[in-house]
């Protein structure tokens, strides 16, 4: 059949609206992919060069971030989960993701409701997922670049929210200075 036979239409313009919530089901499936990846990394660690970018709304109820970060990122923030993180966890009962990260040398535990997450990416395999916000609209302004900046290449002077610290060797500290001195 030639293009002239269908008057330039692809046949999908006249489809009725679905009475089944396919869009919601697809969204749920994509979120489940993200949650399984987080669960796997929480249990097994990050394999190879995999790492995650997690973008979330800081203005959503239930988001726990330090006040200085909320002031710096009043609406949205992207975190990198790669080398310097700890206590990554998914609480399926509370429907939250939590992770420890260091910002400006200060460790913080972030708690992020799954519904506040608007994007998830693993730049190592160029995989990115975008999610509708809690209000149902797709966050169109979120862009995960194809050539995402690897955290090891980030210049902290231009990105103060990302601190790449060299591991420190263990130090032996004498407690003598903290002991009570005998009174004479």
């Amino acid at each position: 059949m030639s293009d002239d036979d269908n008057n330039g239409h692809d046949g999908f313009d006249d489809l009725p609206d679905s009475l089944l919530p396919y869009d919601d089901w697809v969204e749920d499936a994509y979120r489940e992919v993200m949650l399984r990846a987080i669960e796997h990394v929480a249990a097994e660690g990050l394999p190879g060069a995999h790492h995650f970018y997690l973008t979330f709304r800081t203005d959503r109820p239930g988001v726990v971030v330090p006040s200085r970060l909320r002031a710096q990122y009043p609406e949205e923030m992207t975190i990198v989960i790669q080398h310097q993180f700890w206590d990554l966890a998914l609480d399926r009962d509370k429907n939250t993701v939590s992770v420890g990260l260091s910002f400006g040398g200060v460790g913080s535990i972030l708690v992020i409701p799954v519904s506040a997450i608007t994007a998830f990416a693993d730049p190592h395999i160029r995989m990115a997922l975008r999610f509708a916000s809690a209000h149902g609209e797709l966050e169109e302004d979120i862009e995960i670049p194809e050539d995402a900046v690897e955290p090891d290449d980030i210049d902290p002077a231009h990105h103060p929210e990302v601190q790449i610290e060299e591991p420190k060797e263990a130090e032996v500290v004498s407690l003598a200075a903290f002991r009570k001195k005998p009174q004479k």
Side-chain angles (χ1 to χ4, degrees), residues 45-167:
L46 278 167
H50 288 274
H51 57 286
F52 300 150
Y53 287 1
L54 198 63
T55 302
F56 61 96
R57 299 292 306 198
T58 56
D59 57 356
R60 295 294 193 258
V63 172
V64 178
V65 297
S67 57
R68 63 188 171 84
L69 291 177
R70 190 179 302 272
Q72 191 174 356
Y73 303 97
E75 294 178 3
E76 187 171 79
M77 178 178 186
T78 299
I79 58 174
V80 178
I81 299 174
Q82 186 171 22
H83 299 297
Q84 302 284 325
F85 72 93
W86 61 93
D87 294 338
L88 178 63
L90 171 64
D91 186 329
R92 286 198 180 257
D93 292 332
K94 294 180 182 174
N95 213 19
T96 60
V97 173
S98 60
V99 63
L101 294 169
S102 181
F103 298 93
V106 178
S108 303
I109 300 290
L110 282 64
V111 179
I112 307 158
V114 172
S115 64
I117 298 172
T118 57
F120 171 83
D122 183 344
H124 175 62
I125 60 166
R126 296 181 184 257
M127 193 271 306
L129 302 172
R130 214 179 289 183
F131 306 113
S133 73
H135 301 295
E137 67 268 0
L138 191 62
E139 296 290 340
E140 294 295 339
D141 58 339
I142 298 170
E143 291 186 21
I144 305 296
E146 287 187 22
D147 56 344
V149 177
E150 296 294 326
D152 290 339
D153 298 335
I154 291 175
D155 179 2
H158 293 98
H159 298 280
E161 70 276 16
V162 178
Q163 295 296 314
I164 300 171
E165 302 169 357
E166 295 298 321

Side-chain angles (χ1 to χ4, degrees), residues 168-173:
K168 296 178 183 175
E169 291 187 17
E171 295 178 14
V172 177
V173 178

